Amino acid sequence: MYLDNKYTKWYYSIIEAAKLRSVAVENTENHHIIPESFFINRSRKGPAGWLEGDPEDPENKVKLTGREHLICHILLVKMTQGAAHKKMVHGLWMMTRAKTNRKRLTARQYEFARKEFREVIKIKNIGSRRPLTQEEKLIRSTRLKGIPKPEATKNNMKTARAYRDWE
């Protein structure tokens, strides 16, 4: 599941330090040591994982500072591969894009997260970009005909058309 690299060692050293922390720290965040998305029986939406067990087990949770939490998610991307890597990239990207509790990233961290997310999405969408057959085009066209457009959409289309060079 995890690669045997320096990022895995760093990840577990942060987790162990947080578990052994004796002084209560303000503004901590709950973190699943083994990510919830890896489990078959999970509470959040999304595809099921491959691990048996309870992701909400107290032994699988630790309280991290906001900074530690972000670093751990960056490390999870660097220490996984395959389906786990895709899930961790998505988790990191969603963590940085959420409207609430948005994490502040340095430019380098943002660049890393964006690049990884772009790669995962590119691989995911390759199959859906095949050319449509004439029959599929006809089916889509007939489905879209007769659907009334709101006036705001019509006005936006007219405005956009006005800026085209060829008209």
Side-chain angles (χ1 to χ4, degrees), residues 5-68:
N5 60 21
K6 64 183 179 185
Y7 306 114
T8 306
K9 292 176 184 135
W10 292 349
Y11 177 78
Y12 280 109
S13 69
I14 292 171
I15 298 299
E16 288 305 313
K19 281 183 174 180
L20 298 174
R21 192 177 289 141
S22 59
V23 178
V25 179
E26 289 183 28
N27 302 325
T28 57
E29 301 174 3
N30 286 324
H31 175 72
H32 290 92
I33 299 167
I34 297 174
E36 182 191 20
S37 63
F38 290 6
F39 288 90
I40 296 169
N41 301 321
R42 55 186 288 199
S43 58
R44 293 187 206 170
K45 291 191 300 185
W50 49 90
L51 296 178
E52 295 285 338
D54 181 17
E56 301 303 321
D57 181 9
E59 290 293 315
N60 190 38
K61 288 186 170 184
V62 66
K63 290 198 178 288
L64 300 174
T65 65
R67 183 176 183 200
E68 288 172 338

Side-chain angles (χ1 to χ4, degrees), residues 62-119:
V62 66
K63 290 198 178 288
L64 300 174
T65 65
R67 183 176 183 200
E68 288 172 338
H69 198 195
L70 177 62
I71 290 169
C72 280
H73 277 273
I74 291 170
L75 292 173
L76 280 165
V77 171
K78 294 182 176 193
M79 62 191 251
T80 53
Q81 62 185 359
H85 178 74
K86 290 177 186 175
K87 286 177 177 266
M88 292 303 91
V89 168
H90 189 264
L92 174 62
W93 187 247
M94 291 295 107
M95 184 179 194
T96 64
R97 306 308 299 163
K99 296 206 187 273
T100 59
N101 298 327
R102 185 177 305 186
K103 307 295 181 212
R104 298 196 78 152
L105 302 178
T106 64
R108 187 170 289 146
Q109 290 170 330
Y110 176 81
E111 178 185 32
F112 169 76
R114 181 68 183 140
K115 185 181 102 206
E116 290 290 322
F117 186 68
R118 189 177 292 138
E119 288 299 314

